[in-house]
Amino acid sequence: MNTSPDMQVAETRASERRLRRIGLPVCALLAILFTINAWMAVSNKSITFDETVHAPAAYTHLRYNDFRMNSEHPPLWKYWAALPWLLDPPGDLRLEDPDFVTAPNGWSWAPNVLYHTPANDGKHLVAMSRLFMLLLGTGLLALIARFAWRAGGPVAAMIATALFAFDPNFLAHAPLVTNDVSFALITLAMVDCLWRCTQALTKRRVAVLALLCAAAVTTKFTALWLGPVVVSVLLIRATSPQPWRRGREIDSIASTTEGRVIDPGILRSRFARLGAVLVVCLVCGLVSYVVLWAAYGFRFNATSDPSLRANFDAQIEQALGNRIAMRTGITPRPEQIAAEPAGLAVHTLCFLHDRALLPESFLTGVVFVYANSFNRMTFLLGSISGGAHPFYFPVAILVKTPLAALALIGFAAAAFGFVRKSRENDRWLWTCLLVPFALLFTIAILSPLNIGQRHILHLYPLGYVFVGVVLARVIERQRPVLGIIFGLIVLLMLETITTFPNYLSYFNIAAGGARGGERILGDSNLDWGQDLPALARWQQAHPDRQLYLAYFGTADPAYYGVRYEPLTLGTDFKRIRPTFPDSGVVAASVTMLQVNWRREDAAAFFKMLREREPDAVLGGSIYLFDLGE
C-alpha cells in the first residue's frame, strides 16, 4: 500500500518527536553512568604522578596567591580544583619548610604535605579535588550532547555522548587533578562558539569567544596554538562568497550604494569581512591578556613577598643546557651553558620577563615547557628515543581507542562524502570541526612532547561530535544502518566495562590489552603510579613474602600500607639499590621495565625481569616476579 507524501511527512515528524522524547533521558542516563563509573574506578587508585604536586600547588595559588609551585601549568583550572580545600583545609601546609621556600616546583615539598604530615589526610584532600575535576568531565559530556544535538539532532547527541561516556581514556582522566580534560572542555566550547560565529557574528558571541580564549590560555600553555585555529576558521569564513550575517549592534560599513539600501545585517564585501575578523582577533587578544594578568592577581612577582621569586633564570639555564645535551649527547658544563647562544625563543622570553610584560610565573612555566621539550624521552614500540615522533599519536589513537569506537569513526569517515552537503549550513559545521582538529593534530605530531595520549584528549570530543552528526545523517537516509550502529555501541560498552577499574592502563583488544600495551607505549598511557592499593591488597594476602619494589610514581607506597625494600628511590634512576635480590618477590612498575638503566648491574637485573613471565599483573601497571625463597 502506497502512502501519500502527507502521510510520510506526518510519520517523519512523529518519529522525530519520539526521538526527542528519548534523546534527553538517554543522554542524562549516559552522564550518570559516566560519572559513577569514573568515580568508582578512580576510588580504587592511588594518587598519580602529577596529582601529588598539582593538588597542593593549586591550594597555594588560591589561598595564598603564591604561584611558584607547579608554574608549568597556568592557574585557572587549579582554582577550581582547590575550591573544596577552602571548605576543608589541610591541617598543616608546611609553608616554613625549606622545600617550600627553595624548591619552586614543589616536587619535594608536595609529597611531604600529602604523605608525611600527620595533620593531613592526603587521600581525602586529593579526593575532594578529584570530585570537582570529575564535575568538569561530566560538563564536557553535557556540552558534547548539546553541540551534537544542535548540529544533528537527538540521534547525533546520543551517539556522540555514548562514544564519550564509554571512552576508557576519559573515564580514567576526567577525575584526575590535571588540566587535560578541562582543556578539552574549553576547546570544544570554543569550537562550538566559532560555529555560531560563522553563522552570525554578534557582540555576544564575540565576547564569549574572547572569554573562552582567555580561559584556554590560563588553563594550559598549549592553548596558545588555539590562536591560529581561531584565525584560520574566521579567515575561511571571511573569504567565502556565502553571505555572513552579523548582529544589528555591529555598525554597517556602508548603508547605501547608488540609492540601493544594503541590509545592515549582512557583511557583504570582503573588506568588511576581513575587517570584522581583525576586530574579533584584537578583542580576543586583548581580553586574553587582561584575564591572564587577572589569573595571576595582576602582579608580576610570583608571590607578594619580593624575596620569594619564581626560578625563571634557573629555567633559562636548564633550557640552554638541555639544548646542548640533546645536540651533543653529554651533560654540559656551566661554561658551555654560558657560551650557548640564546636563540630567538629565549631572547623573546627574557625580553618579556625583563620588561614585566607578562606575569613572572607564567613566563617561568613557558620556559619550563620549552626546556623540557629538549630532554623528553619517548617509549614507542619497544624503543626509547628523544625528539618528535610523527607516528606517536597515530599509534596511540589506534591502540588506546576501543575497537568499536574505531569502527564507528571509520564508518563516519567513509560516509562523510555522501552526507557533507545534505544540509545548507553544514559547510561551516564541518569547517569548524575538521579545521581545528587537523591543525591541532598536526601541531601535536610535530611536538617533541610524546609521553601520553592524554595530550591529545582535547581532539576526541571534536571527533565524537563529527561522528555523531555524520551517522545521524546516514540513519536519516538508511534506517537499517541504525541496527549496526547500535550493535557497535553495545560492543563499546562491553569492551570498556570489562576493563573496570583499570581505565588508565587500557589498551584495546587488538593491541593485546595492558600486557600488549607494555610493548607499545609507556608513561601515562599505562603506568602513572596508580596501582599502590592493588599492591597493598596483594601484600595483605601474602604477608610472609619479602617484597622488593621498583615504583614509578610520586606517591609514598608506605602511605598506602605497602611494606617493602626499595630497589629505586622514587623516580631518580641514578639512586638505586647497591645489590639486587635473588629471592623474594619483586614488584616493578612497568615503566621500570621499559627504561634504559644507566648502571650495568641494574640493566642486567631488569632485563632478566623483562624476559620472565610475571607471576601476576596488578591493575595493568605493577608486575610481580617471584624469585623464590
Side-chain angles (χ1 to χ4, degrees), residues 173-192:
H173 288 279
L176 299 186
V177 190
T178 62
N179 58 358
D180 300 302
V181 174
S182 55
F183 181 59
L185 171 63
I186 294 170
T187 300
L188 184 64
M190 181 181 296
V191 170
D192 186 15

Side-chain angles (χ1 to χ4, degrees), residues 113-179:
V113 170
L114 291 179
Y115 313 124
H116 306 144
T117 304
N120 297 336
D121 184 348
K123 286 187 283 190
H124 172 67
L125 290 170
V126 173
M128 291 193 301
S129 294
R130 281 177 165 181
L131 179 60
F132 267 54
M133 298 308 296
L134 179 55
L135 293 177
L136 294 182
T138 306
L140 175 56
L141 182 147
L143 180 59
I144 289 172
R146 180 172 176 268
F147 191 166
W149 193 305
R150 287 184 60 248
V155 173
M158 288 186 284
I159 294 173
T161 306
L163 284 167
F164 178 88
F166 295 104
D167 186 330
N169 304 293
F170 282 100
L171 287 166
H173 288 279
L176 299 186
V177 190
T178 62
N179 58 358

Side-chain angles (χ1 to χ4, degrees), residues 100 359 459 494 590 627:
F100 180 80
L459 299 179
L494 293 175
V590 66
L627 303 183

Side-chain angles (χ1 to χ4, degrees), residues 198 233-240 242-245 273 428:
T198 60
V233 171
L234 292 179
L235 284 178
I236 291 172
R237 186 64 182 91
T239 54
S240 169
Q242 291 186 349
W244 193 3
R245 293 194 301 112
R273 294 177 180 184
W428 303 118

Side-chain angles (χ1 to χ4, degrees), residues 497-521:
I497 292 172
T498 53
T499 62
F500 176 90
N502 304 317
Y503 295 133
L504 192 61
S505 58
Y506 169 84
F507 281 76
N508 60 36
I509 298 172
R515 288 297 310 278
E518 179 265 335
R519 298 184 294 272
I520 303 173
L521 298 172

Side-chain angles (χ1 to χ4, degrees), residues 59 63-64 82-93 113-114 119-122 124-126 128:
Y59 185 63
R63 176 67 177 81
Y64 298 101
L83 276 178
W85 288 39
L86 294 179
L87 302 176
D88 189 6
D92 182 4
L93 208 60
V113 170
L114 291 179
N120 297 336
D121 184 348
H124 172 67
L125 290 170
V126 173
M128 291 193 301

